[in-house]
Amino acid sequence: MQFLQKRMNKINGLMIIAASTLVGCSAGGNNPGIEYAPNMYVSEAYEAYTQTDEMKYNKYGMTMRTPVAGAVALGQMGYTMYSEGYQESVAWSNPVPRTEANVEEGGRLYNIQCQHCHGKKGKNDGGVIKSGQYPPPPWSGYQDDYIKNLPDGQAFHTITYGKGNMGAHGNVLTPEERWKVLHYVRKLSLGDAFTYQKEGSTTGSDLVSMNAMTFDGFELVDLGPDMQTINAAMKHVKFDGLKYKNFLDASIPHLDKVASYMVSHPELKAIVAGHIASDVKIPGLTGELSLMRAKAVCDYLESKGVSRDRLSPKGMGSSMPIASNDSKEGKEINRRVEIYFIK
């Protein structure tokens, strides 16, 4: 009997402890109870985009650091873009092929994001404008000469960052989607004059010969023998592999000649076009690298006194080779930066 009594006392004691534990874990009123595994309820890791006083060195106390200026997500675009660069964007061209499939997709996106203001036919008669809550744009519609003559780059910049009463759409459309929407806008603008490219085309704009008298709609200035001097100088501008900012020291005297010429001819403006060979295998880098090299040349010319509003960098990628890429020598020739003086 004593053995059984002791056994029952132990069992009763354990039951009392268990009951006390359960009561202690129960929350009620101002009693939060006892958490068995608090990390399951309150994460020790910071949640993305939240704010906390502990993050006093981050902007707005955010738990995530904001990207550095000019950062571009991998694969998002093949060129450099910034909100203040509306005038410089005139040098950009649409890289998306003007195929029926791409234009059709641009129309689908247009009807989602644009037609409520600009109307289904681009006549600025969408529901938002008709409501009278917002004034219409100063131009009558996409058929207006202003839109017909607006460079693709500046139209793309407007879609991305907004302009006037139009809000930015860069947060709802990827760069490729914005270029497709622009193709559809051109179709509404040009009507029967709009033409498609064949399926399988690799660029959205027609290739331009080195000897063409126009470049992206700009008339080239004939400098005569001076142009030969400029071309000869630019042939000596070489970069250090994929390090786009590091043109070789031997390039500097030749760039100085170009800068001196432009300083002494302030009436001239220039498109600075970067070209690369076709051997760049890094996805999404081809167009960006050629533009970065063009921009590096513009930066240097600006540092030597050439006003930035006279320089428009443009990345041509590998679309305009002047030598065979089958040899090391040919690839070296194709990696170049050229200057086109325009009116």
Side-chain angles (χ1 to χ4, degrees):
M1 290 291 294
Q2 290 182 352
F3 172 78
L4 291 175
Q5 185 64 41
K6 291 180 179 180
R7 189 65 176 264
M8 290 298 296
N9 290 340
K10 288 182 178 180
I11 292 175
N12 291 334
L14 291 174
M15 292 179 66
I16 292 173
I17 293 173
S20 300
T21 301
L22 291 175
V23 171
C25 290
S26 300
N30 293 326
N31 179 20
I34 299 174
E35 295 176 339
Y36 174 71
N39 288 350
M40 296 180 65
Y41 299 93
V42 182
S43 174
E44 291 186 350
Y46 291 111
E47 298 294 335
Y49 302 114
T50 57
Q51 295 171 286
T52 172
D53 293 337
E54 296 177 25
M55 298 298 175
K56 59 182 178 180
Y57 297 110
N58 285 6
K59 190 175 182 180
Y60 307 123
M62 294 173 59
T63 57
M64 293 187 68
R65 299 302 299 267
T66 54
V68 298
V72 177
L74 180 64
Q76 283 297 296
M77 61 181 65
Y79 41 84
T80 302
M81 183 171 64
Y82 45 98
S83 58
E84 297 81 10
Y86 181 76
Q87 295 300 327
E88 289 81 356
S89 67
V90 71
W92 304 339
S93 59
N94 196 330
V96 176
R98 200 173 54 253
T99 62
E100 289 192 36
N102 286 338
V103 175
E104 181 180 353
E105 174 64 7
R108 185 186 73 83
L109 296 169
Y110 174 91
N111 287 327
I112 295 173
Q113 301 292 344
C114 312
Q115 65 87 18
H116 50 276
C117 286
H118 293 291
K120 290 187 175 181
K121 301 297 183 181
K123 297 184 180 295
N124 294 333
D125 56 356
V128 172
I129 300 300
K130 284 184 176 180
S131 71
Q133 297 182 28
Y134 293 92
W139 33 273
S140 59
Y142 289 148
Q143 297 74 28
D144 191 275
D145 286 341
Y146 167 74
I147 297 298
K148 289 182 178 180
N149 297 323
L150 184 66
D152 281 353
Q154 291 187 331
F156 180 83
H157 192 283
T158 299
I159 295 173
T160 303
Y161 293 108
K163 189 172 185 286
N165 289 325
M166 177 175 165
H169 286 66
N171 60 332
V172 293
L173 294 170
T174 67
E176 183 175 353
E177 288 174 337
R178 280 171 255 158
W179 286 121
K180 290 179 179 179
V181 168
L182 181 54
H183 277 321
Y184 185 73
V185 168
R186 294 303 190 202
K187 179 183 178 182
L188 294 178
S189 179
L190 298 176
D192 294 338
F194 182 83
T195 59
Y196 294 96
Q197 288 180 298
K198 294 181 180 180
E199 294 292 340
S201 298
T202 58
T203 178
S205 57
D206 298 327
L207 297 183
V208 181
S209 166
M210 284 190 60
N211 297 320
M213 291 307 296
T214 61
F215 193 101
D216 282 359
F218 295 97
E219 185 177 352
L220 300 184
V221 178
D222 184 8
L223 300 180
D226 289 347
M227 194 67 237
Q228 297 178 12
T229 303
I230 297 295
N231 288 338
M234 292 305 299
K235 285 182 179 180
H236 290 88
V237 177
K238 303 294 182 182
F239 288 81
D240 183 10
L242 292 179
K243 299 177 182 178
Y244 68 92
K245 288 185 177 179
N246 300 344
F247 34 66
L248 302 178
D249 291 341
S251 305
I252 301 301
H254 303 283
L255 284 173
D256 287 342
K257 290 181 181 179
V258 177
S260 177
Y261 184 85
M262 291 197 68
V263 169
S264 62
H265 294 79
E267 75 282 1
L268 293 177
K269 295 184 178 181
I271 292 177
V272 181
H275 303 264
I276 61 172
S278 61
D279 61 342
V280 177
K281 302 300 183 184
I282 303 175
L285 181 60
T286 301
E288 183 180 1
L289 179 60
S290 62
L291 179 66
M292 283 180 171
R293 290 182 170 175
K295 188 175 183 297
V297 170
C298 289
D299 290 342
Y300 185 82
L301 294 177
E302 183 182 17
S303 73
K304 293 297 181 178
V306 182
S307 176
R308 190 55 182 237
D309 60 7
R310 298 169 56 200
L311 301 167
S312 295
K314 182 175 179 63
M316 300 302 296
S318 57
S319 64
M320 295 174 61
I322 57 175
S324 173
N325 282 310
D326 295 333
S327 66
K328 181 179 179 180
E329 293 76 13
K331 292 176 181 177
E332 185 67 24
I333 293 173
N334 288 330
R335 299 186 188 104
R336 68 198 191 278
V337 176
E338 298 173 327
I339 289 185
Y340 301 84
F341 291 100
I342 58 176
K343 293 182 179 180

